[in-house]
Amino acid sequence: MDYNTILHSTSGSSLNDSTPYRRLIGKLLYLTNTRPNISFVVGHLNQFVSSPTDLHYKAAVRILQYLKHSPTLDLLFSPQSTTIIKGFSDSNWGACLDTRKSVIGWCFYLSSSLVSWKSKKQTTVSKSSTEAKYKALSMASCEAQ
């Protein structure tokens, strides 16, 4: 996703026919099972399925261009014998411009293989970045258990 473009529900002009956008987002959602590196941006664009704009469609096409130029970046399960579990979590305080809710994410590795990941908008508005990070860590620890 282009870091200079900030997408929200009113950015851009409305599409005449939203069917191609919805089909594209559906296909990209299915693809996130093997390409977790696009799960955040696809989830972000999925928020605008009810009323997409031309900027949302351009961002979705940009994902397709990224996928075309990086065909080998997918999940890799290596045959290592050590079983070390590593986990990471983070949050982006007030990331959603429409609701001011924070976006959290985590991922867990078994040896060097990614086995669990998630990126989602929090259900409540956090009053500080510390509170948002605490909620992300709490949800990640539940996933780890």
Side-chain angles (χ1 to χ4, degrees), residues 62-99:
R62 186 176 169 94
I63 297 171
L64 291 177
Q65 292 170 347
Y66 168 76
L67 292 171
K68 180 181 178 183
H69 296 304
S70 61
T72 59
L73 294 178
D74 52 0
L75 289 178
L76 174 66
F77 295 102
S78 63
Q80 291 182 345
S81 61
T82 59
T83 54
I84 299 171
I85 298 175
K86 294 182 285 187
F88 304 94
S89 71
D90 197 11
S91 68
N92 190 353
W93 181 47
C96 181
L97 297 176
D98 296 325
T99 61

Short mmCIF file of all heavy atoms in Angstrom, two decimals, residues 62-99:
data_model
loop_
_atom_site.label_atom_id
_atom_site.label_comp_id
_atom_site.label_asym_id
_atom_site.label_seq_id
_atom_site.Cartn_x
_atom_site.Cartn_y
_atom_site.Cartn_z
N ARG A 62 -3.03 -1.85 -7.12
CA ARG A 62 -1.62 -1.78 -6.70
C ARG A 62 -1.20 -3.08 -6.01
O ARG A 62 -0.06 -3.52 -6.14
CB ARG A 62 -1.42 -0.58 -5.79
CG ARG A 62 0.01 -0.33 -5.40
CD ARG A 62 0.11 0.95 -4.58
NE ARG A 62 1.40 1.09 -3.98
CZ ARG A 62 2.41 1.76 -4.52
NH1 ARG A 62 2.25 2.34 -5.68
NH2 ARG A 62 3.56 1.84 -3.89
N ILE A 63 -2.12 -3.71 -5.27
CA ILE A 63 -1.82 -5.01 -4.65
C ILE A 63 -1.55 -6.05 -5.73
O ILE A 63 -0.63 -6.86 -5.61
CB ILE A 63 -2.97 -5.46 -3.73
CG1 ILE A 63 -3.16 -4.49 -2.58
CG2 ILE A 63 -2.72 -6.86 -3.18
CD1 ILE A 63 -4.40 -4.76 -1.76
N LEU A 64 -2.36 -6.03 -6.78
CA LEU A 64 -2.14 -6.97 -7.88
C LEU A 64 -0.78 -6.76 -8.54
O LEU A 64 -0.09 -7.72 -8.87
CB LEU A 64 -3.24 -6.82 -8.93
CG LEU A 64 -4.64 -7.28 -8.52
CD1 LEU A 64 -5.63 -6.99 -9.64
CD2 LEU A 64 -4.64 -8.74 -8.15
N GLN A 65 -0.39 -5.51 -8.69
CA GLN A 65 0.93 -5.22 -9.25
C GLN A 65 2.04 -5.74 -8.33
O GLN A 65 3.04 -6.28 -8.80
CB GLN A 65 1.09 -3.72 -9.48
CG GLN A 65 0.20 -3.19 -10.56
CD GLN A 65 0.18 -1.67 -10.61
OE1 GLN A 65 0.65 -1.00 -9.69
NE2 GLN A 65 -0.36 -1.12 -11.69
N TYR A 66 1.86 -5.57 -7.03
CA TYR A 66 2.84 -6.09 -6.07
C TYR A 66 2.94 -7.61 -6.17
O TYR A 66 4.04 -8.17 -6.19
CB TYR A 66 2.44 -5.68 -4.65
CG TYR A 66 3.21 -6.39 -3.58
CD1 TYR A 66 4.53 -6.03 -3.29
CD2 TYR A 66 2.64 -7.44 -2.86
CE1 TYR A 66 5.25 -6.69 -2.31
CE2 TYR A 66 3.35 -8.10 -1.89
CZ TYR A 66 4.65 -7.72 -1.62
OH TYR A 66 5.37 -8.38 -0.65
N LEU A 67 1.80 -8.28 -6.27
CA LEU A 67 1.79 -9.74 -6.36
C LEU A 67 2.44 -10.22 -7.66
O LEU A 67 3.12 -11.25 -7.67
CB LEU A 67 0.36 -10.27 -6.27
CG LEU A 67 -0.32 -10.10 -4.92
CD1 LEU A 67 -1.79 -10.47 -5.01
CD2 LEU A 67 0.38 -10.91 -3.86
N LYS A 68 2.26 -9.48 -8.72
CA LYS A 68 2.85 -9.85 -10.00
C LYS A 68 4.37 -9.78 -9.95
O LYS A 68 5.06 -10.62 -10.52
CB LYS A 68 2.33 -8.93 -11.10
CG LYS A 68 2.88 -9.25 -12.47
CD LYS A 68 2.35 -8.29 -13.51
CE LYS A 68 2.95 -8.60 -14.87
NZ LYS A 68 2.51 -7.66 -15.89
N HIS A 69 4.90 -8.80 -9.23
CA HIS A 69 6.35 -8.61 -9.18
C HIS A 69 7.03 -9.36 -8.03
O HIS A 69 8.24 -9.29 -7.89
CB HIS A 69 6.68 -7.13 -9.10
CG HIS A 69 6.25 -6.36 -10.31
ND1 HIS A 69 6.65 -6.68 -11.59
CD2 HIS A 69 5.42 -5.29 -10.46
CE1 HIS A 69 6.11 -5.86 -12.45
NE2 HIS A 69 5.35 -5.00 -11.79
N SER A 70 6.26 -10.04 -7.19
CA SER A 70 6.85 -10.81 -6.09
C SER A 70 6.18 -12.18 -5.97
O SER A 70 5.56 -12.48 -4.96
CB SER A 70 6.72 -10.03 -4.78
OG SER A 70 5.35 -9.82 -4.49
N PRO A 71 6.30 -13.02 -6.99
CA PRO A 71 5.59 -14.30 -6.96
C PRO A 71 6.16 -15.33 -5.98
O PRO A 71 5.48 -16.28 -5.63
CB PRO A 71 5.73 -14.81 -8.40
CG PRO A 71 6.98 -14.20 -8.89
CD PRO A 71 7.06 -12.85 -8.22
N THR A 72 7.38 -15.13 -5.50
CA THR A 72 8.00 -16.13 -4.64
C THR A 72 7.84 -15.83 -3.15
O THR A 72 8.32 -16.60 -2.32
CB THR A 72 9.49 -16.27 -4.95
OG1 THR A 72 10.12 -15.00 -4.75
CG2 THR A 72 9.70 -16.72 -6.38
N LEU A 73 7.19 -14.74 -2.81
CA LEU A 73 7.02 -14.39 -1.39
C LEU A 73 5.74 -15.03 -0.85
O LEU A 73 4.70 -14.40 -0.78
CB LEU A 73 6.96 -12.87 -1.21
CG LEU A 73 8.23 -12.11 -1.53
CD1 LEU A 73 8.00 -10.63 -1.35
CD2 LEU A 73 9.36 -12.57 -0.64
N ASP A 74 5.82 -16.29 -0.47
CA ASP A 74 4.67 -16.96 0.10
C ASP A 74 5.12 -17.72 1.34
O ASP A 74 6.26 -17.61 1.77
CB ASP A 74 4.00 -17.89 -0.91
CG ASP A 74 4.97 -18.84 -1.58
OD1 ASP A 74 6.16 -18.78 -1.26
OD2 ASP A 74 4.53 -19.63 -2.41
N LEU A 75 4.23 -18.47 1.94
CA LEU A 75 4.57 -19.21 3.16
C LEU A 75 5.59 -20.30 2.87
O LEU A 75 5.50 -21.01 1.88
CB LEU A 75 3.33 -19.85 3.77
CG LEU A 75 2.34 -18.90 4.41
CD1 LEU A 75 1.14 -19.69 4.92
CD2 LEU A 75 2.97 -18.13 5.53
N LEU A 76 6.55 -20.42 3.77
CA LEU A 76 7.58 -21.43 3.63
C LEU A 76 7.68 -22.21 4.93
O LEU A 76 7.86 -21.62 6.00
CB LEU A 76 8.93 -20.77 3.31
CG LEU A 76 10.14 -21.71 3.27
CD1 LEU A 76 10.00 -22.68 2.11
CD2 LEU A 76 11.41 -20.92 3.16
N PHE A 77 7.51 -23.50 4.86
CA PHE A 77 7.63 -24.36 6.03
C PHE A 77 8.91 -25.17 5.90
O PHE A 77 9.01 -26.08 5.09
CB PHE A 77 6.41 -25.28 6.15
CG PHE A 77 5.14 -24.54 6.40
CD1 PHE A 77 4.25 -24.31 5.38
CD2 PHE A 77 4.86 -24.04 7.66
CE1 PHE A 77 3.09 -23.62 5.59
CE2 PHE A 77 3.69 -23.33 7.89
CZ PHE A 77 2.80 -23.12 6.86
N SER A 78 9.89 -24.80 6.71
CA SER A 78 11.18 -25.47 6.63
C SER A 78 11.21 -26.70 7.54
O SER A 78 10.55 -26.73 8.57
CB SER A 78 12.31 -24.50 7.02
OG SER A 78 12.15 -24.11 8.36
N PRO A 79 12.01 -27.71 7.18
CA PRO A 79 12.05 -28.95 7.96
C PRO A 79 13.07 -28.92 9.11
O PRO A 79 13.84 -29.84 9.28
CB PRO A 79 12.44 -29.99 6.90
CG PRO A 79 13.29 -29.22 5.95
CD PRO A 79 12.72 -27.84 5.91
N GLN A 80 13.08 -27.86 9.90
CA GLN A 80 13.99 -27.79 11.03
C GLN A 80 13.46 -28.65 12.17
O GLN A 80 12.26 -28.81 12.35
CB GLN A 80 14.15 -26.36 11.53
CG GLN A 80 14.89 -25.47 10.56
CD GLN A 80 15.05 -24.08 11.14
OE1 GLN A 80 14.40 -23.72 12.10
NE2 GLN A 80 15.92 -23.30 10.52
N SER A 81 14.38 -29.19 12.97
CA SER A 81 13.97 -30.07 14.05
C SER A 81 13.75 -29.31 15.36
O SER A 81 13.13 -29.83 16.28
CB SER A 81 15.01 -31.17 14.26
OG SER A 81 16.25 -30.59 14.60
N THR A 82 14.26 -28.08 15.49
CA THR A 82 14.06 -27.32 16.73
C THR A 82 12.66 -26.73 16.75
O THR A 82 12.12 -26.33 15.73
CB THR A 82 15.09 -26.18 16.84
OG1 THR A 82 14.93 -25.32 15.71
CG2 THR A 82 16.50 -26.72 16.88
N THR A 83 12.07 -26.70 17.92
CA THR A 83 10.72 -26.17 18.06
C THR A 83 10.75 -24.94 18.97
O THR A 83 10.48 -25.02 20.16
CB THR A 83 9.75 -27.22 18.62
OG1 THR A 83 10.30 -27.72 19.85
CG2 THR A 83 9.54 -28.35 17.66
N ILE A 84 11.11 -23.83 18.41
CA ILE A 84 11.14 -22.57 19.13
C ILE A 84 9.94 -21.75 18.66
O ILE A 84 9.73 -21.57 17.47
CB ILE A 84 12.44 -21.80 18.85
CG1 ILE A 84 13.63 -22.61 19.33
CG2 ILE A 84 12.42 -20.44 19.52
CD1 ILE A 84 14.96 -22.03 18.90
N ILE A 85 9.15 -21.27 19.62
CA ILE A 85 7.99 -20.46 19.29
C ILE A 85 8.34 -19.00 19.56
O ILE A 85 8.77 -18.65 20.66
CB ILE A 85 6.76 -20.87 20.12
CG1 ILE A 85 6.39 -22.31 19.79
CG2 ILE A 85 5.60 -19.93 19.84
CD1 ILE A 85 5.27 -22.86 20.65
N LYS A 86 8.17 -18.16 18.55
CA LYS A 86 8.40 -16.72 18.68
C LYS A 86 7.11 -16.00 18.32
O LYS A 86 6.41 -16.39 17.40
CB LYS A 86 9.50 -16.25 17.73
CG LYS A 86 10.87 -16.79 18.02
CD LYS A 86 11.89 -16.23 17.05
CE LYS A 86 11.72 -16.91 15.71
NZ LYS A 86 12.74 -16.57 14.74
N GLY A 87 6.81 -14.94 19.08
CA GLY A 87 5.62 -14.17 18.80
C GLY A 87 5.90 -12.68 18.84
O GLY A 87 6.77 -12.22 19.58
N PHE A 88 5.17 -11.94 18.02
CA PHE A 88 5.31 -10.49 17.94
C PHE A 88 3.92 -9.87 17.91
O PHE A 88 3.01 -10.42 17.31
CB PHE A 88 6.07 -10.09 16.68
CG PHE A 88 7.42 -10.72 16.55
CD1 PHE A 88 7.59 -11.89 15.84
CD2 PHE A 88 8.53 -10.15 17.16
CE1 PHE A 88 8.83 -12.48 15.71
CE2 PHE A 88 9.77 -10.74 17.05
CZ PHE A 88 9.93 -11.91 16.33
N SER A 89 3.78 -8.72 18.55
CA SER A 89 2.51 -7.99 18.49
C SER A 89 2.79 -6.50 18.41
O SER A 89 3.84 -6.03 18.84
CB SER A 89 1.64 -8.29 19.72
OG SER A 89 2.19 -7.69 20.87
N ASP A 90 1.83 -5.77 17.84
CA ASP A 90 1.98 -4.33 17.73
C ASP A 90 0.60 -3.71 17.52
O ASP A 90 -0.37 -4.41 17.23
CB ASP A 90 2.90 -3.97 16.56
CG ASP A 90 3.40 -2.53 16.64
OD1 ASP A 90 3.22 -1.89 17.70
OD2 ASP A 90 3.98 -2.05 15.65
N SER A 91 0.53 -2.41 17.69
CA SER A 91 -0.72 -1.70 17.45
C SER A 91 -0.42 -0.36 16.82
O SER A 91 0.68 0.18 16.93
CB SER A 91 -1.49 -1.50 18.76
OG SER A 91 -0.79 -0.60 19.60
N ASN A 92 -1.41 0.18 16.15
CA ASN A 92 -1.32 1.50 15.53
C ASN A 92 -2.45 2.32 16.12
O ASN A 92 -3.61 2.18 15.74
CB ASN A 92 -1.44 1.37 14.01
CG ASN A 92 -1.13 2.66 13.31
OD1 ASN A 92 -0.95 3.70 13.93
ND2 ASN A 92 -1.09 2.60 12.00
N TRP A 93 -2.11 3.17 17.07
CA TRP A 93 -3.11 3.91 17.83
C TRP A 93 -3.89 4.87 16.95
O TRP A 93 -3.31 5.70 16.25
CB TRP A 93 -2.42 4.65 18.97
CG TRP A 93 -3.34 5.44 19.84
CD1 TRP A 93 -4.52 5.01 20.39
CD2 TRP A 93 -3.17 6.78 20.29
NE1 TRP A 93 -5.08 5.97 21.15
CE2 TRP A 93 -4.27 7.09 21.10
CE3 TRP A 93 -2.20 7.73 20.07
CZ2 TRP A 93 -4.43 8.33 21.70
CZ3 TRP A 93 -2.36 8.96 20.68
CH2 TRP A 93 -3.46 9.25 21.48
N GLY A 94 -5.22 4.74 16.95
CA GLY A 94 -6.09 5.63 16.20
C GLY A 94 -5.90 5.56 14.70
O GLY A 94 -6.02 6.55 14.00
N ALA A 95 -5.60 4.38 14.18
CA ALA A 95 -5.27 4.24 12.76
C ALA A 95 -6.46 4.46 11.83
O ALA A 95 -6.29 4.97 10.74
CB ALA A 95 -4.67 2.87 12.50
N CYS A 96 -7.64 4.07 12.24
CA CYS A 96 -8.81 4.23 11.39
C CYS A 96 -9.29 5.68 11.47
O CYS A 96 -9.67 6.16 12.54
CB CYS A 96 -9.93 3.28 11.82
SG CYS A 96 -11.40 3.40 10.79
N LEU A 97 -9.26 6.38 10.35
CA LEU A 97 -9.64 7.79 10.34
C LEU A 97 -11.13 8.01 10.51
O LEU A 97 -11.56 9.08 10.92
CB LEU A 97 -9.16 8.44 9.05
CG LEU A 97 -7.64 8.46 8.85
CD1 LEU A 97 -7.30 9.03 7.49
CD2 LEU A 97 -6.98 9.26 9.95
N ASP A 98 -11.94 7.00 10.20
CA ASP A 98 -13.39 7.15 10.31
C ASP A 98 -13.88 6.92 11.74
O ASP A 98 -14.76 7.63 12.21
CB ASP A 98 -14.09 6.17 9.36
CG ASP A 98 -13.78 6.49 7.91
OD1 ASP A 98 -13.64 7.68 7.58
OD2 ASP A 98 -13.66 5.54 7.12
N THR A 99 -13.33 5.93 12.43
CA THR A 99 -13.81 5.59 13.78
C THR A 99 -12.81 5.91 14.89
O THR A 99 -13.16 5.83 16.06
CB THR A 99 -14.14 4.09 13.87
OG1 THR A 99 -12.94 3.35 13.61
CG2 THR A 99 -15.22 3.70 12.88
#
